[in-house]
Amino acid sequence: MNTTDARVLAILAPGGQLTLDQIAKDAGISVRRVKRSVQSLTRTGMVWDNVGMHRDACSITPGGACFAATRRGRAVLDAPPAAS
């Protein structure tokens, strides 16, 4: 998991659906990087992509939430903020 993946997963960890635009704004990174990260996290089973009827919306999976709740997960998700 890279820093971008960690930021994206940390933003999704509280639950609910967010659009790629919302995640990008919160993480301070481009939508393109968020999209690549969501694709990667979807392949690993940590994130659901295109949830419900919202195109470009995603949310954390139960597996991703379990990872985020572990000691290792909390350490990984304590990603540094984006550089300005």
Side-chain angles (χ1 to χ4, degrees):
M1 179 176 295
N2 63 38
T3 304
T4 301
D5 292 349
R7 282 191 206 132
V8 169
L9 197 58
I11 289 167
L12 291 171
Q17 289 185 37
L18 293 174
T19 66
L20 300 181
D21 289 333
Q22 290 170 314
I23 297 168
K25 181 180 176 186
D26 290 350
I29 55 180
S30 71
V31 173
R32 182 180 213 184
R33 285 180 62 194
V34 169
K35 186 170 188 158
R36 280 188 298 220
S37 179
V38 166
Q39 289 169 341
S40 173
L41 291 167
T42 299
R43 283 192 298 275
T44 62
M46 300 243 187
V47 168
W48 281 313
D49 194 4
N50 295 328
V51 175
M53 302 185 88
H54 299 287
R55 194 171 110 76
D56 292 336
C58 55
S59 65
I60 194 166
T61 64
C66 285
F67 173 74
T70 65
R71 179 182 288 172
R72 180 172 178 257
R74 286 189 304 272
V76 168
L77 299 186
D78 189 22
S84 297

